[in-house]
PDB file of all heavy atoms in Angstrom:
ATOM      1  N   VAL A   1      -0.650  -9.004   1.410  1.00 97.00           N
ATOM      2  CA  VAL A   1       0.359  -9.273   2.444  1.00 97.00           C
ATOM      3  C   VAL A   1       0.097  -8.315   3.605  1.00 97.00           C
ATOM      4  O   VAL A   1       0.244  -7.102   3.452  1.00 97.00           O
ATOM      5  CB  VAL A   1       1.791  -9.098   1.905  1.00 97.00           C
ATOM      6  CG1 VAL A   1       2.806  -9.418   2.987  1.00 97.00           C
ATOM      7  CG2 VAL A   1       2.020  -9.985   0.682  1.00 97.00           C
ATOM      8  N   TYR A   2      -0.322  -8.894   4.740  1.00 98.00           N
ATOM      9  CA  TYR A   2      -0.660  -8.093   5.919  1.00 98.00           C
ATOM     10  C   TYR A   2       0.452  -8.157   6.954  1.00 98.00           C
ATOM     11  O   TYR A   2       0.994  -9.239   7.216  1.00 98.00           O
ATOM     12  CB  TYR A   2      -1.963  -8.598   6.552  1.00 98.00           C
ATOM     13  CG  TYR A   2      -3.181  -8.253   5.741  1.00 98.00           C
ATOM     14  CD1 TYR A   2      -3.656  -9.120   4.768  1.00 98.00           C
ATOM     15  CD2 TYR A   2      -3.839  -7.049   5.934  1.00 98.00           C
ATOM     16  CE1 TYR A   2      -4.771  -8.796   4.013  1.00 98.00           C
ATOM     17  CE2 TYR A   2      -4.952  -6.718   5.182  1.00 98.00           C
ATOM     18  CZ  TYR A   2      -5.419  -7.593   4.221  1.00 98.00           C
ATOM     19  OH  TYR A   2      -6.519  -7.262   3.469  1.00 98.00           O
ATOM     20  N   PRO A   3       0.766  -7.024   7.579  1.00 98.00           N
ATOM     21  CA  PRO A   3       1.737  -7.052   8.678  1.00 98.00           C
ATOM     22  C   PRO A   3       1.084  -7.620   9.935  1.00 98.00           C
ATOM     23  O   PRO A   3      -0.103  -7.401  10.185  1.00 98.00           O
ATOM     24  CB  PRO A   3       2.104  -5.580   8.867  1.00 98.00           C
ATOM     25  CG  PRO A   3       0.914  -4.820   8.386  1.00 98.00           C
ATOM     26  CD  PRO A   3       0.296  -5.658   7.301  1.00 98.00           C
ATOM     27  N   ILE A   4       1.867  -8.372  10.694  1.00 98.00           N
ATOM     28  CA  ILE A   4       1.402  -8.899  11.974  1.00 98.00           C
ATOM     29  C   ILE A   4       2.442  -8.556  13.039  1.00 98.00           C
ATOM     30  O   ILE A   4       3.614  -8.350  12.731  1.00 98.00           O
ATOM     31  CB  ILE A   4       1.158 -10.424  11.939  1.00 98.00           C
ATOM     32  CG1 ILE A   4       2.460 -11.192  11.670  1.00 98.00           C
ATOM     33  CG2 ILE A   4       0.084 -10.780  10.916  1.00 98.00           C
ATOM     34  CD1 ILE A   4       2.353 -12.701  11.840  1.00 98.00           C
ATOM     35  N   ILE A   5       1.981  -8.492  14.271  1.00 98.00           N
ATOM     36  CA  ILE A   5       2.875  -8.263  15.404  1.00 98.00           C
ATOM     37  C   ILE A   5       2.815  -9.495  16.290  1.00 98.00           C
ATOM     38  O   ILE A   5       1.734  -9.928  16.698  1.00 98.00           O
ATOM     39  CB  ILE A   5       2.459  -7.012  16.204  1.00 98.00           C
ATOM     40  CG1 ILE A   5       2.498  -5.776  15.311  1.00 98.00           C
ATOM     41  CG2 ILE A   5       3.353  -6.829  17.422  1.00 98.00           C
ATOM     42  CD1 ILE A   5       1.869  -4.544  15.932  1.00 98.00           C
ATOM     43  N   LEU A   6       3.993 -10.071  16.576  1.00 98.00           N
ATOM     44  CA  LEU A   6       4.084 -11.244  17.446  1.00 98.00           C
ATOM     45  C   LEU A   6       4.632 -10.795  18.795  1.00 98.00           C
ATOM     46  O   LEU A   6       5.739 -10.272  18.875  1.00 98.00           O
ATOM     47  CB  LEU A   6       5.002 -12.295  16.823  1.00 98.00           C
ATOM     48  CG  LEU A   6       4.517 -12.858  15.489  1.00 98.00           C
ATOM     49  CD1 LEU A   6       5.342 -12.295  14.359  1.00 98.00           C
ATOM     50  CD2 LEU A   6       4.550 -14.348  15.507  1.00 98.00           C
ATOM     51  N   THR A   7       3.843 -11.011  19.828  1.00 98.00           N
ATOM     52  CA  THR A   7       4.231 -10.644  21.181  1.00 98.00           C
ATOM     53  C   THR A   7       4.559 -11.911  21.955  1.00 98.00           C
ATOM     54  O   THR A   7       3.691 -12.764  22.144  1.00 98.00           O
ATOM     55  CB  THR A   7       3.089  -9.883  21.892  1.00 98.00           C
ATOM     56  OG1 THR A   7       2.722  -8.754  21.077  1.00 98.00           O
ATOM     57  CG2 THR A   7       3.519  -9.413  23.261  1.00 98.00           C
ATOM     58  N   PRO A   8       5.825 -12.065  22.410  1.00 98.00           N
ATOM     59  CA  PRO A   8       6.197 -13.274  23.153  1.00 98.00           C
ATOM     60  C   PRO A   8       5.460 -13.342  24.491  1.00 98.00           C
ATOM     61  O   PRO A   8       5.253 -12.318  25.152  1.00 98.00           O
ATOM     62  CB  PRO A   8       7.701 -13.120  23.387  1.00 98.00           C
ATOM     63  CG  PRO A   8       8.153 -11.983  22.549  1.00 98.00           C
ATOM     64  CD  PRO A   8       6.958 -11.161  22.222  1.00 98.00           C
ATOM     65  N   THR A   9       5.035 -14.558  24.859  1.00 97.00           N
ATOM     66  CA  THR A   9       4.421 -14.816  26.160  1.00 97.00           C
ATOM     67  C   THR A   9       5.065 -16.065  26.735  1.00 97.00           C
ATOM     68  O   THR A   9       5.878 -16.717  26.075  1.00 97.00           O
ATOM     69  CB  THR A   9       2.897 -15.043  26.044  1.00 97.00           C
ATOM     70  OG1 THR A   9       2.658 -16.256  25.323  1.00 97.00           O
ATOM     71  CG2 THR A   9       2.203 -13.885  25.339  1.00 97.00           C
ATOM     72  N   LYS A  10       4.666 -16.445  27.937  1.00 95.00           N
ATOM     73  CA  LYS A  10       5.195 -17.676  28.548  1.00 95.00           C
ATOM     74  C   LYS A  10       4.800 -18.909  27.747  1.00 95.00           C
ATOM     75  O   LYS A  10       5.509 -19.904  27.751  1.00 95.00           O
ATOM     76  CB  LYS A  10       4.683 -17.825  29.985  1.00 95.00           C
ATOM     77  CG  LYS A  10       5.300 -16.855  30.963  1.00 95.00           C
ATOM     78  CD  LYS A  10       4.871 -17.165  32.374  1.00 95.00           C
ATOM     79  CE  LYS A  10       3.534 -16.503  32.627  1.00 95.00           C
ATOM     80  NZ  LYS A  10       3.059 -16.652  34.001  1.00 95.00           N
ATOM     81  N   CYS A  11       3.676 -18.835  27.056  1.00 94.00           N
ATOM     82  CA  CYS A  11       3.151 -20.002  26.332  1.00 94.00           C
ATOM     83  C   CYS A  11       3.396 -19.957  24.828  1.00 94.00           C
ATOM     84  O   CYS A  11       2.905 -20.814  24.111  1.00 94.00           O
ATOM     85  CB  CYS A  11       1.658 -20.127  26.597  1.00 94.00           C
ATOM     86  SG  CYS A  11       1.246 -20.309  28.320  1.00 94.00           S
ATOM     87  N   GLY A  12       4.089 -18.953  24.336  1.00 97.00           N
ATOM     88  CA  GLY A  12       4.310 -18.843  22.895  1.00 97.00           C
ATOM     89  C   GLY A  12       4.224 -17.413  22.444  1.00 97.00           C
ATOM     90  O   GLY A  12       4.937 -16.545  22.947  1.00 97.00           O
ATOM     91  N   TYR A  13       3.316 -17.140  21.507  1.00 98.00           N
ATOM     92  CA  TYR A  13       3.186 -15.803  20.935  1.00 98.00           C
ATOM     93  C   TYR A  13       1.720 -15.429  20.764  1.00 98.00           C
ATOM     94  O   TYR A  13       0.918 -16.239  20.309  1.00 98.00           O
ATOM     95  CB  TYR A  13       3.858 -15.724  19.557  1.00 98.00           C
ATOM     96  CG  TYR A  13       5.352 -15.838  19.629  1.00 98.00           C
ATOM     97  CD1 TYR A  13       5.977 -17.089  19.628  1.00 98.00           C
ATOM     98  CD2 TYR A  13       6.154 -14.706  19.733  1.00 98.00           C
ATOM     99  CE1 TYR A  13       7.352 -17.203  19.718  1.00 98.00           C
ATOM    100  CE2 TYR A  13       7.531 -14.811  19.825  1.00 98.00           C
ATOM    101  CZ  TYR A  13       8.114 -16.060  19.818  1.00 98.00           C
ATOM    102  OH  TYR A  13       9.477 -16.170  19.911  1.00 98.00           O
ATOM    103  N   VAL A  14       1.394 -14.209  21.115  1.00 98.00           N
ATOM    104  CA  VAL A  14       0.109 -13.625  20.767  1.00 98.00           C
ATOM    105  C   VAL A  14       0.334 -12.869  19.466  1.00 98.00           C
ATOM    106  O   VAL A  14       1.337 -12.171  19.319  1.00 98.00           O
ATOM    107  CB  VAL A  14      -0.399 -12.672  21.872  1.00 98.00           C
ATOM    108  CG1 VAL A  14      -1.630 -11.903  21.401  1.00 98.00           C
ATOM    109  CG2 VAL A  14      -0.700 -13.448  23.143  1.00 98.00           C
ATOM    110  N   VAL A  15      -0.572 -13.027  18.535  1.00 98.00           N
ATOM    111  CA  VAL A  15      -0.432 -12.406  17.230  1.00 98.00           C
ATOM    112  C   VAL A  15      -1.535 -11.383  17.035  1.00 98.00           C
ATOM    113  O   VAL A  15      -2.710 -11.682  17.224  1.00 98.00           O
ATOM    114  CB  VAL A  15      -0.525 -13.449  16.092  1.00 98.00           C
ATOM    115  CG1 VAL A  15      -0.321 -12.789  14.736  1.00 98.00           C
ATOM    116  CG2 VAL A  15       0.458 -14.575  16.295  1.00 98.00           C
ATOM    117  N   SER A  16      -1.146 -10.197  16.647  1.00 98.00           N
ATOM    118  CA  SER A  16      -2.087  -9.124  16.356  1.00 98.00           C
ATOM    119  C   SER A  16      -1.991  -8.786  14.875  1.00 98.00           C
ATOM    120  O   SER A  16      -0.891  -8.716  14.326  1.00 98.00           O
ATOM    121  CB  SER A  16      -1.736  -7.903  17.212  1.00 98.00           C
ATOM    122  OG  SER A  16      -2.485  -6.791  16.799  1.00 98.00           O
ATOM    123  N   VAL A  17      -3.148  -8.591  14.260  1.00 98.00           N
ATOM    124  CA  VAL A  17      -3.209  -8.148  12.868  1.00 98.00           C
ATOM    125  C   VAL A  17      -3.846  -6.753  12.893  1.00 98.00           C
ATOM    126  O   VAL A  17      -5.067  -6.624  12.839  1.00 98.00           O
ATOM    127  CB  VAL A  17      -4.032  -9.120  11.990  1.00 98.00           C
ATOM    128  CG1 VAL A  17      -3.952  -8.717  10.521  1.00 98.00           C
ATOM    129  CG2 VAL A  17      -3.586 -10.559  12.188  1.00 98.00           C
ATOM    130  N   PRO A  18      -3.021  -5.718  13.020  1.00 97.00           N
ATOM    131  CA  PRO A  18      -3.555  -4.371  13.226  1.00 97.00           C
ATOM    132  C   PRO A  18      -4.503  -3.881  12.124  1.00 97.00           C
ATOM    133  O   PRO A  18      -5.496  -3.222  12.421  1.00 97.00           O
ATOM    134  CB  PRO A  18      -2.310  -3.481  13.282  1.00 97.00           C
ATOM    135  CG  PRO A  18      -1.173  -4.388  13.523  1.00 97.00           C
ATOM    136  CD  PRO A  18      -1.564  -5.731  13.006  1.00 97.00           C
ATOM    137  N   ASP A  19      -4.224  -4.208  10.884  1.00 97.00           N
ATOM    138  CA  ASP A  19      -5.073  -3.734   9.784  1.00 97.00           C
ATOM    139  C   ASP A  19      -6.498  -4.263   9.872  1.00 97.00           C
ATOM    140  O   ASP A  19      -7.429  -3.651   9.351  1.00 97.00           O
ATOM    141  CB  ASP A  19      -4.494  -4.144   8.429  1.00 97.00           C
ATOM    142  CG  ASP A  19      -3.226  -3.398   8.072  1.00 97.00           C
ATOM    143  OD1 ASP A  19      -2.995  -2.307   8.625  1.00 97.00           O
ATOM    144  OD2 ASP A  19      -2.456  -3.917   7.236  1.00 97.00           O
ATOM    145  N   LEU A  20      -6.662  -5.418  10.503  1.00 97.00           N
ATOM    146  CA  LEU A  20      -7.976  -6.063  10.535  1.00 97.00           C
ATOM    147  C   LEU A  20      -8.558  -6.130  11.948  1.00 97.00           C
ATOM    148  O   LEU A  20      -9.668  -6.620  12.131  1.00 97.00           O
ATOM    149  CB  LEU A  20      -7.866  -7.479   9.944  1.00 97.00           C
ATOM    150  CG  LEU A  20      -7.210  -7.566   8.565  1.00 97.00           C
ATOM    151  CD1 LEU A  20      -7.115  -9.005   8.105  1.00 97.00           C
ATOM    152  CD2 LEU A  20      -7.957  -6.720   7.550  1.00 97.00           C
ATOM    153  N   ASP A  21      -7.798  -5.688  12.927  1.00 96.00           N
ATOM    154  CA  ASP A  21      -8.228  -5.692  14.320  1.00 96.00           C
ATOM    155  C   ASP A  21      -8.620  -7.102  14.790  1.00 96.00           C
ATOM    156  O   ASP A  21      -9.673  -7.304  15.395  1.00 96.00           O
ATOM    157  CB  ASP A  21      -9.378  -4.704  14.537  1.00 96.00           C
ATOM    158  CG  ASP A  21      -9.576  -4.371  16.007  1.00 96.00           C
ATOM    159  OD1 ASP A  21      -8.585  -4.429  16.769  1.00 96.00           O
ATOM    160  OD2 ASP A  21     -10.732  -4.071  16.401  1.00 96.00           O
ATOM    161  N   ILE A  22      -7.762  -8.079  14.460  1.00 97.00           N
ATOM    162  CA  ILE A  22      -7.987  -9.447  14.926  1.00 97.00           C
ATOM    163  C   ILE A  22      -6.722  -9.954  15.603  1.00 97.00           C
ATOM    164  O   ILE A  22      -5.622  -9.459  15.346  1.00 97.00           O
ATOM    165  CB  ILE A  22      -8.416 -10.413  13.785  1.00 97.00           C
ATOM    166  CG1 ILE A  22      -7.393 -10.445  12.650  1.00 97.00           C
ATOM    167  CG2 ILE A  22      -9.786 -10.046  13.263  1.00 97.00           C
ATOM    168  CD1 ILE A  22      -7.720 -11.442  11.553  1.00 97.00           C
ATOM    169  N   ASP A  23      -6.903 -10.936  16.473  1.00 98.00           N
ATOM    170  CA  ASP A  23      -5.793 -11.537  17.217  1.00 98.00           C
ATOM    171  C   ASP A  23      -5.911 -13.054  17.166  1.00 98.00           C
ATOM    172  O   ASP A  23      -6.998 -13.607  16.996  1.00 98.00           O
ATOM    173  CB  ASP A  23      -5.825 -11.096  18.690  1.00 98.00           C
ATOM    174  CG  ASP A  23      -5.697  -9.601  18.853  1.00 98.00           C
ATOM    175  OD1 ASP A  23      -4.770  -9.017  18.274  1.00 98.00           O
ATOM    176  OD2 ASP A  23      -6.530  -9.017  19.571  1.00 98.00           O
ATOM    177  N   THR A  24      -4.776 -13.700  17.347  1.00 98.00           N
ATOM    178  CA  THR A  24      -4.729 -15.151  17.475  1.00 98.00           C
ATOM    179  C   THR A  24      -3.477 -15.471  18.276  1.00 98.00           C
ATOM    180  O   THR A  24      -2.859 -14.587  18.861  1.00 98.00           O
ATOM    181  CB  THR A  24      -4.760 -15.848  16.092  1.00 98.00           C
ATOM    182  OG1 THR A  24      -4.890 -17.263  16.277  1.00 98.00           O
ATOM    183  CG2 THR A  24      -3.544 -15.535  15.254  1.00 98.00           C
ATOM    184  N   GLN A  25      -3.071 -16.725  18.311  1.00 97.00           N
ATOM    185  CA  GLN A  25      -1.874 -17.096  19.061  1.00 97.00           C
ATOM    186  C   GLN A  25      -1.281 -18.380  18.511  1.00 97.00           C
ATOM    187  O   GLN A  25      -1.917 -19.097  17.748  1.00 97.00           O
ATOM    188  CB  GLN A  25      -2.196 -17.276  20.539  1.00 97.00           C
ATOM    189  CG  GLN A  25      -3.193 -18.375  20.815  1.00 97.00           C
ATOM    190  CD  GLN A  25      -3.610 -18.412  22.272  1.00 97.00           C
ATOM    191  OE1 GLN A  25      -3.498 -17.433  22.988  1.00 97.00           O
ATOM    192  NE2 GLN A  25      -4.106 -19.556  22.715  1.00 97.00           N
ATOM    193  N   GLY A  26      -0.046 -18.663  18.921  1.00 97.00           N
ATOM    194  CA  GLY A  26       0.625 -19.892  18.525  1.00 97.00           C
ATOM    195  C   GLY A  26       1.700 -20.243  19.524  1.00 97.00           C
ATOM    196  O   GLY A  26       2.223 -19.366  20.216  1.00 97.00           O
ATOM    197  N   LYS A  27       2.035 -21.541  19.614  1.00 98.00           N
ATOM    198  CA  LYS A  27       3.014 -21.979  20.621  1.00 98.00           C
ATOM    199  C   LYS A  27       4.452 -21.625  20.237  1.00 98.00           C
ATOM    200  O   LYS A  27       5.333 -21.604  21.076  1.00 98.00           O
ATOM    201  CB  LYS A  27       2.874 -23.473  20.888  1.00 98.00           C
ATOM    202  CG  LYS A  27       3.262 -24.361  19.728  1.00 98.00           C
ATOM    203  CD  LYS A  27       3.133 -25.834  20.083  1.00 98.00           C
ATOM    204  CE  LYS A  27       3.676 -26.708  19.023  1.00 98.00           C
ATOM    205  NZ  LYS A  27       2.832 -27.222  18.033  1.00 98.00           N
ATOM    206  N   ASP A  28       4.688 -21.390  18.942  1.00 97.00           N
ATOM    207  CA  ASP A  28       6.007 -20.955  18.472  1.00 97.00           C
ATOM    208  C   ASP A  28       5.783 -20.036  17.271  1.00 97.00           C
ATOM    209  O   ASP A  28       4.643 -19.810  16.860  1.00 97.00           O
ATOM    210  CB  ASP A  28       6.912 -22.144  18.133  1.00 97.00           C
ATOM    211  CG  ASP A  28       6.289 -23.120  17.149  1.00 97.00           C
ATOM    212  OD1 ASP A  28       5.518 -22.682  16.265  1.00 97.00           O
ATOM    213  OD2 ASP A  28       6.564 -24.321  17.253  1.00 97.00           O
ATOM    214  N   ILE A  29       6.860 -19.497  16.726  1.00 97.00           N
ATOM    215  CA  ILE A  29       6.709 -18.525  15.633  1.00 97.00           C
ATOM    216  C   ILE A  29       6.028 -19.156  14.421  1.00 97.00           C
ATOM    217  O   ILE A  29       5.133 -18.549  13.820  1.00 97.00           O
ATOM    218  CB  ILE A  29       8.069 -17.906  15.253  1.00 97.00           C
ATOM    219  CG1 ILE A  29       8.561 -17.007  16.393  1.00 97.00           C
ATOM    220  CG2 ILE A  29       7.966 -17.099  13.956  1.00 97.00           C
ATOM    221  CD1 ILE A  29       9.932 -16.403  16.181  1.00 97.00           C
ATOM    222  N   ALA A  30       6.417 -20.368  14.065  1.00 97.00           N
ATOM    223  CA  ALA A  30       5.827 -21.016  12.890  1.00 97.00           C
ATOM    224  C   ALA A  30       4.324 -21.200  13.067  1.00 97.00           C
ATOM    225  O   ALA A  30       3.542 -20.892  12.155  1.00 97.00           O
ATOM    226  CB  ALA A  30       6.507 -22.357  12.631  1.00 97.00           C
ATOM    227  N   GLU A  31       3.924 -21.695  14.230  1.00 97.00           N
ATOM    228  CA  GLU A  31       2.494 -21.895  14.464  1.00 97.00           C
ATOM    229  C   GLU A  31       1.761 -20.555  14.529  1.00 97.00           C
ATOM    230  O   GLU A  31       0.637 -20.420  14.045  1.00 97.00           O
ATOM    231  CB  GLU A  31       2.240 -22.686  15.742  1.00 97.00           C
ATOM    232  CG  GLU A  31       0.753 -22.968  15.958  1.00 97.00           C
ATOM    233  CD  GLU A  31       0.485 -23.792  17.205  1.00 97.00           C
ATOM    234  OE1 GLU A  31       0.494 -25.032  17.096  1.00 97.00           O
ATOM    235  OE2 GLU A  31       0.266 -23.192  18.271  1.00 97.00           O
TER     236      GLU A  31
END
């Protein structure tokens, strides 16, 4: 179970996975 940080943007959320130094994004929290 990895912690993630969701940063709100105009288009949804940028997601950071600090333990693994990777990022992704989604249009809403579920995505």
Side-chain angles (χ1 to χ4, degrees):
V1 181
Y2 287 91
I4 63 171
I5 300 170
L6 297 106
T7 305
T9 66
K10 288 187 276 184
C11 301
Y13 292 86
V14 171
V15 182
S16 171
V17 186
D19 290 338
L20 308 178
D21 197 28
I22 57 176
D23 299 309
T24 188
Q25 62 187 22
K27 67 178 188 266
D28 54 33
I29 291 176
E31 183 178 271

